[in-house]
Amino acid sequence: MKLINKTLKTKTVLIVAVLIATFSLNGCNSNNSGDLGTYDDPKIALIETQKALSLLSKKVNKGYESVQYITEYEIAKNKIFKLEN
């Protein structure tokens, strides 16, 4: 019983510490300048949008490659254990 109480207290302290750190860091990084990251020149806006979408695409494609490996694993597992229909 003492071990459970000690574990519960430890978890509670960790959660409180994380919450305090999150709120304190969030308060320090608040952006009150009014700059919303908008562009006046449409050409610059297009270029920056393309950069952002390219970065996003690279990350999504990397995740998709991981899914392909999982799919191949599932196919091999099903053949080994004869789970194929």
Side-chain angles (χ1 to χ4, degrees):
M1 191 69 173
K2 288 183 180 182
L3 180 62
I4 294 172
N5 287 337
K6 187 175 182 180
T7 305
L8 183 62
K9 286 179 184 178
T10 304
K11 287 181 181 179
T12 304
V13 168
L14 287 173
I15 291 171
V16 170
V18 169
L19 288 173
I20 290 171
T22 301
F23 287 119
S24 65
L25 290 176
N26 194 18
C28 293
N29 293 330
S30 63
N31 186 5
N32 294 331
S33 66
D35 180 22
L36 300 176
T38 57
Y39 296 93
D40 294 329
D41 186 8
K43 290 179 185 178
I44 295 174
L46 175 64
I47 291 169
E48 293 300 319
T49 301
Q50 288 173 337
K51 285 182 191 177
L53 291 175
S54 175
L55 178 65
L56 178 65
S57 175
K58 288 177 187 175
K59 298 295 182 183
V60 169
N61 287 336
K62 187 180 246 185
Y64 182 73
E65 291 170 2
S66 299
V67 171
Q68 289 297 323
Y69 289 123
I70 293 171
T71 303
E72 290 176 23
Y73 168 77
E74 286 292 321
I75 291 169
K77 182 187 78 168
N78 288 342
K79 285 181 182 178
I80 291 171
F81 294 110
K82 300 183 191 309
L83 297 174
E84 245 180 303
N85 291 333

